[in-house]
Amino acid sequence: AGVLLHRNGAQPRVTSALGRSGSPGATSALATLARDAALPEDLRVDALTATVQITKPSVDTLQIPAALLQDANPQVRSAARLMAGALSRAARAAHPADADRVDASLIALYRGSHDTESRIELLAALGNSVGPSVAPVLAEAVTDPLPAIRAAAVRSLRLAAGSEADDMIATAIIADGDPTVRSDGIFAARFRRPLPPAVISAVLRAATSDTADYVRSGAVALLRDHLDASAAVTDTLSHVAHKDPNAAIRSQASQALAAAMARKGG
């Protein structure tokens, strides 16, 4: 398969099959493809993204993206960083020390970067990992002066465990001055199952009082997916259905309320 790809170029189904295989030979083939700077960019990126399908990453698998965190090709570099975080999370139970080293490399790059786009990308990579050393970095980033950095940090909290992460997501939803950050807080909340009390309280408040239409709409959509998260969900949807200044959001809330009523009736 590796020879076929090297000769004919990117074929995502083939690289994906190598990732699903996860055998030592498949892993070696993906590593060879990803690291060959003479190959087309799309093939190298495909090889990197295929590694995330390896369900039990070995130490060698971890090293595939880790070796390319500062690759000269920006697309390859970006894919390597995102996959490094994802593989770190997947490998942590079996290889905690090696996963921690990958996280340390990502954190060092983040600390040393003064480019906003690169910092956002590295926060996304850290959010894919959320190892023990990542939490303080995300906690710091959610208070960054730049809204884009705060938004990236809040998104990256989606997989972070614990009440501190819940509180940071909730605070972002109700207290951040930038609607993009508040919206990304709602995005992060979608990954919390069940919704923690602090988060559901923030979402209920956002649905009725946020100044941005798209934030209120996002909150209503989340409430529809969590109708049993709080006794206040139905009352909140009813309030929005009758009082929201945006007709589309009133309709959205009415549909969610009808779903809630149908569930109770059933």
Side-chain angles (χ1 to χ4, degrees), residues 47 107 121 136 162 171 223 242 257:
I107 290 170
E121 180 179 271
T171 299
L223 291 177
H242 291 91
L257 190 61

Side-chain angles (χ1 to χ4, degrees), residues 49-101:
T49 55
T51 61
V52 79
Q53 298 191 60
I54 300 175
T55 56
K56 295 182 179 180
S58 65
V59 174
D60 287 342
T61 306
L62 278 174
Q63 292 308 309
I64 297 174
L68 300 170
L69 296 179
Q70 299 191 73
D71 193 84
N73 183 296
Q75 297 303 316
V76 172
R77 183 169 66 240
S78 176
R81 293 173 176 185
L82 294 173
M83 293 307 103
L87 288 173
S88 175
R89 178 178 174 83
R92 182 164 290 111
H95 309 288
D98 296 281
D100 287 345
R101 278 191 283 273

Side-chain angles (χ1 to χ4, degrees), residues 9-262:
Q11 297 183 51
R13 286 187 298 177
V14 178
T15 47
S16 180
L18 288 170
R20 288 196 300 272
S21 166
S23 69
T27 301
S28 177
L30 291 173
T32 299
L33 294 167
R35 293 171 180 168
D36 190 342
L39 291 177
E41 172 188 284
D42 56 350
L43 175 53
R44 298 180 68 201
V45 169
D46 282 352
L48 281 165
T49 55
T51 61
V52 79
Q53 298 191 60
I54 300 175
T55 56
K56 295 182 179 180
S58 65
V59 174
D60 287 342
T61 306
L62 278 174
Q63 292 308 309
I64 297 174
L68 300 170
L69 296 179
Q70 299 191 73
D71 193 84
N73 183 296
Q75 297 303 316
V76 172
R77 183 169 66 240
S78 176
R81 293 173 176 185
L82 294 173
M83 293 307 103
L87 288 173
S88 175
R89 178 178 174 83
R92 182 164 290 111
H95 309 288
D98 296 281
D100 287 345
R101 278 191 283 273
V102 171
D103 288 352
S105 296
L106 292 169
I107 290 170
L109 287 171
Y110 175 78
R111 296 289 192 200
S113 176
H114 301 288
D115 175 73
T116 299
E117 185 175 343
S118 179
R119 293 175 69 201
I120 290 171
E121 180 179 271
L122 287 161
L123 284 170
L126 292 169
N128 284 345
S129 168
V130 289
S133 61
V134 170
V137 180
L138 298 182
E140 176 187 308
V142 295
T143 63
D144 194 273
L146 291 178
I149 297 297
R150 298 200 304 276
V154 172
R155 289 195 301 273
S156 296
L157 286 167
R158 70 195 185 281
L159 300 177
S163 59
E164 289 186 8
D166 295 335
D167 290 343
M168 285 189 282
I169 292 170
T171 299
I173 292 172
I174 62 175
D176 198 278
D178 190 282
T180 302
V181 180
R182 301 197 299 273
S183 179
D184 281 324
I186 292 172
F187 165 79
R190 291 186 174 280
F191 293 79
R192 322 300 280 185
R193 291 185 180 274
L195 284 179
V199 175
I200 186 61
S201 177
V203 174
L204 289 167
R205 180 171 165 182
T208 58
S209 62
D210 198 278
T211 56
D213 287 356
Y214 68 92
V215 176
R216 297 198 308 279
S217 177
V220 169
L222 182 56
L223 291 177
R224 177 166 185 165
D225 292 338
H226 296 271
L227 295 171
D228 299 325
S230 166
V233 170
T234 301
D235 288 342
T236 297
L237 290 173
S238 178
H239 174 88
V240 175
H242 291 91
K243 302 284 188 177
D244 196 275
N246 185 302
I249 297 176
R250 293 198 301 272
S251 175
Q252 179 189 15
S254 295
Q255 293 173 21
L257 190 61
M261 295 299 100

